[in-house]
Amino acid sequence: MDRRDFIRAAGAASATVALPATVSTAFAQSAPAAGWKTYEVTTRVEVLKPVGMTRIWLPTPLTEDTAYHRSISNSWQAEGGKAAQSVDPKYGAGMVWAEFEPGTRPVLILTSRFATRDAAVDLSRPGTLKAEDPAVLARYLGATDMMPINGKVKELSTSIMKDSGAKTDVEKAHAIYEWIAENTYRDAKTRGCGTGDVGFMIENKLYGGKCADLNALYVTLARAEGVPARDVYGVRVAASAMGYGSLGKGGGDVTKAQHCRAEVYLQGYGWVPVDPADVRKVILEEGGGKQPNDPMVLAARKRLFGSWEMNWLAYNTAHDLQLPKSQRGKVAFLMYPQCETAEGRLDSLDADNFKYTLAAREIA
């Protein structure tokens, strides 16, 4: 089936939850050309203490191809349960989900294949790309539940613009990037990738956290200045080829390698990759820690405004997501597996009740 047929079929499946326990869907996709690498990621989830009806949701790779990411196929198994694939109508976030009746053993296995290549935008030359759809840009200019763009947030973004003298979109995007690289910190005590609660961070002037916090801060400040921006949620799947041990995962077990990045829309250049959170990760973790003026840090700081090394699977750009048939309200973002039982939503980082593994490998 082609991509449009796939999205229509996925939407229908999410409404009926009547697919067989073992399913495979594939995109119309030719073999990746030079510069592309193909990976496979398998996610296995087991709910150790199911109570009543149990539901599991897993993110799938981007449902739309980009210059740096192509989805190839998804296949899944939910023995003893009913499974479906769904695409969120607002953000296009893809997911596979399953429900299990009381008395069954809830296990869901998802295998996704995708191809990536490094992404880079040359901002030193005038941009010539056709403008993005205004409706898409509007989607990535608004506030979310955890990302307000007025009040204290707007005060901070205005002060950054004033201090930097930024006027153009490129200058504004770069000024916010530099402010985050200078004024935030990676907090090793933060659970998982953080919560992305930017309103709380700015209200309390607590500029620490991990990627889902720091890159969400970037996105929020950009939107407050009228520059479209979005978080991109995913997971590292391979080692860095650029010499950064902290910015890669050597394949195999990537269960704890989730990573949120950011994109900013700049007229003439399109969606530009940025990652100020990884600058702070290099400072904290690379070689046991680096000073901000270390050559490795400076190189990462320069490179991560405008480029990504694509040893990483991209899932989606969604916020405030309502999961199909969920009884517990929206999730702020979908990067980790999610689960609910009759007793409520499980903690995705609680291995005693919600056991999952992610395994990645590069394939020919």
Side-chain angles (χ1 to χ4, degrees):
M1 63 179 70
D2 68 23
R3 183 171 301 281
R4 287 170 295 181
D5 289 340
F6 166 79
I7 291 176
R8 285 195 291 268
S14 69
T16 61
V17 196
L19 295 181
T22 301
V23 179
S24 178
T25 63
F27 299 102
Q29 177 69 55
S30 59
W36 289 84
K37 293 184 178 180
T38 303
Y39 297 96
E40 179 182 273
V41 171
T42 299
T43 304
R44 183 186 187 277
V45 175
E46 180 176 359
V47 182
L48 300 179
K49 299 177 182 179
V51 179
M53 179 70 75
T54 297
R55 296 184 178 91
I56 302 169
W57 297 265
L58 303 179
T60 58
L62 289 176
T63 56
E64 292 292 334
D65 286 347
T66 70
Y68 58 81
H69 194 286
R70 296 176 181 174
S71 296
I72 299 174
S73 66
N74 295 294
S75 61
W76 59 90
Q77 295 176 307
E79 297 298 337
K82 296 179 181 179
Q85 189 159 23
S86 175
V87 176
D88 169 66
K90 181 176 181 179
Y91 292 100
M95 68 193 79
V96 166
W97 61 287
E99 57 182 11
F100 300 84
E101 297 286 344
T104 59
R105 177 180 175 230
V107 176
L108 177 61
I109 302 172
L110 166 66
T111 299
S112 298
R113 289 191 171 190
F114 57 98
T116 70
R117 65 178 178 183
D118 290 349
V121 177
D122 185 356
L123 296 171
S124 68
R125 300 178 180 180
T128 59
L129 287 185
K130 181 181 177 182
E132 175 66 277
D133 182 345
V136 173
L137 298 182
R139 183 183 312 147
Y140 297 110
L141 276 170
T144 74
D145 288 351
M146 290 191 174
M147 297 163 56
I149 57 175
N150 53 16
K152 295 289 186 181
V153 175
K154 179 57 179 173
E155 290 177 15
L156 177 56
S157 69
T158 298
S159 71
I160 294 171
M161 297 306 105
K162 182 179 178 180
D163 292 344
S164 66
K167 301 297 183 184
T168 68
D169 284 356
V170 174
E171 290 170 347
K172 291 178 180 180
H174 190 252
I176 295 168
Y177 175 89
E178 292 294 325
W179 186 90
I180 290 177
E182 288 282 350
N183 294 280
T184 67
Y185 62 94
R186 182 176 174 86
D187 187 349
K189 299 187 297 297
T190 298
R191 297 184 74 231
C193 288
T195 63
D197 191 345
V198 175
F200 178 85
M201 293 171 67
I202 292 181
E203 187 69 30
N204 294 278
K205 296 184 178 181
L206 297 174
Y207 303 132
K210 290 185 180 174
C211 57
D213 303 310
L214 304 187
N215 282 336
L217 178 60
Y218 179 88
V219 167
T220 305
L221 291 171
R223 292 186 185 187
E225 285 302 307
V227 181
R230 60 193 184 191
D231 294 288
V232 190
Y233 297 98
V235 60
R236 303 185 204 267
V237 296
S240 169
M242 297 184 177
Y244 290 90
S246 61
L247 303 187
K249 183 67 178 178
D253 185 357
V254 297
T255 304
K256 297 182 179 181
Q258 288 81 5
H259 180 54
C260 167
R261 289 176 165 177
E263 286 181 307
V264 60
Y265 182 81
L266 302 176
Q267 292 186 11
Y269 300 98
W271 288 102
V272 176
V274 299
D275 198 340
D278 262 358
V279 177
R280 301 308 309 191
K281 184 176 175 68
V282 171
I283 291 172
L284 180 66
E285 297 182 6
E286 191 67 38
K290 299 284 186 182
Q291 293 299 314
N293 62 352
D294 184 273
M296 286 193 75
V297 175
L298 295 177
R301 184 166 171 170
K302 180 178 180 180
R303 180 175 59 82
L304 289 170
F305 183 76
S307 74
W308 288 340
E309 182 182 8
M310 281 305 298
N311 55 341
W312 174 77
L313 159 62
Y315 285 136
N316 60 72
T317 62
H319 285 279
D320 301 341
L321 194 61
Q322 184 65 46
L323 302 174
K325 281 203 172 181
S326 169
Q327 306 299 305
R328 302 294 170 175
K330 297 178 290 186
V331 293
F333 52 81
L334 182 61
M335 181 165 58
Y336 291 90
Q338 298 289 330
C339 176
E340 291 176 9
T341 72
E343 292 185 338
R345 181 170 291 154
L346 300 187
D347 182 350
S348 292
L349 304 178
D350 179 9
D352 291 335
N353 294 291
F354 188 27
K355 180 181 179 181
Y356 62 85
T357 58
L358 281 75
R361 68 187 183 100
E362 184 177 352
I363 57 178

